[in-house]
Amino acid sequence: MQTTNTVLMIRPTRFTFNLDTAGNNRFQQRILTPDEAQVRALEEFDGYVAALRDQGVDVLVAQDSEAPHTPDSIFPNNWWSSHADGTLALYPMEGHNRRLERSKGVLENLLHDYRIERVLDFTEMEEQGLFLEGTGSMVLDRQHHICYAGYSSRTHAKALRHFVEQFGYNLCAFHAEDRQGVAIYHTNVMMSVGTSLAVACLDSVSASGERTALETQLRATGKDILALNWDQLESFAGNMLEVHNRAGEPVLVMSRTAWNSLGSAQRSLIERHARPLPVNIDTIERIGGGSARCMLAEVHLPRKAGQA
């Protein structure tokens, strides 16, 4: 399936502005003291978990530890991904303190209940300066085995080729830039792919050939396209994720900032495909530079026999 009913989220302990990633994440804003940021982020995180569970989405919550300090651990989808065939992938991260997130025991606790058939560890690419930050760098169409990716310092062409070769995906790659002409740091900021709906800021792909190829590929897989403008991109409307509830019904998760940026026709289009779920993560968005999708690590692994 394209979507999952189970996600992993990391409850923050020391959430704050991350200097290690601010150089190329133009969405980050230093607006609060570390203590204020942590208090507000914790409130928003708990509200987000409650909203998902209220919709029938299973949420696994791991409490972050204070040491080592990993201010972006609230965004776990960047350093690992899981797949329905039992594959677990580990990714090379550009930010040095983000690499520390892999050593905090999150997966060891998770994997008690799930079956791992193989582990693909791409992290040695960090030594070569080659980065690929998981489902931030890549937006995956799991149904059609297509990897959508916008090149940036965090999404290297060689690492992408290695991923698609290992997973048997086709690559649709392009150059996506913000309105100032700077590479967008993660692909999942400018686009999202669900079962039948794709959300994308096509204007961010300035090369006409690449833009046409992206739109053609999305339509070839039967997707309706919700096209975003620049203001909506900057409101994190590209950072949505479709999941499904226990009844199998699609739920499209986004921040309230993203939802509020959409017009009535765009909202109606979403409602034809899924139940929209806007959540308040204002502080996390502004300080962390990531949004609703970034906070969700999808669990696609098969459960072990006897696990509910």
Side-chain angles (χ1 to χ4, degrees), residues 257-273:
T257 303
W259 179 251
N260 290 340
S261 75
L262 301 176
S264 58
Q266 292 171 311
R267 292 183 180 186
S268 295
L269 178 58
I270 287 174
E271 290 165 346
R272 289 201 294 272
H273 291 271

Side-chain angles (χ1 to χ4, degrees), residues 188-189 191-192 236-241 253-255 290-294:
N188 74 2
V189 174
M191 70 176 293
S192 168
F236 289 103
N239 199 242
M240 302 182 186
L241 180 67
V253 189
M254 69 205 75
S255 72
S291 188
R293 193 276 171 268
C294 301

Side-chain angles (χ1 to χ4, degrees), residues 131-142:
F131 308 115
L132 185 67
E133 298 193 340
T135 53
S137 289
M138 303 175 291
V139 174
L140 301 180
D141 185 333
R142 296 172 185 260

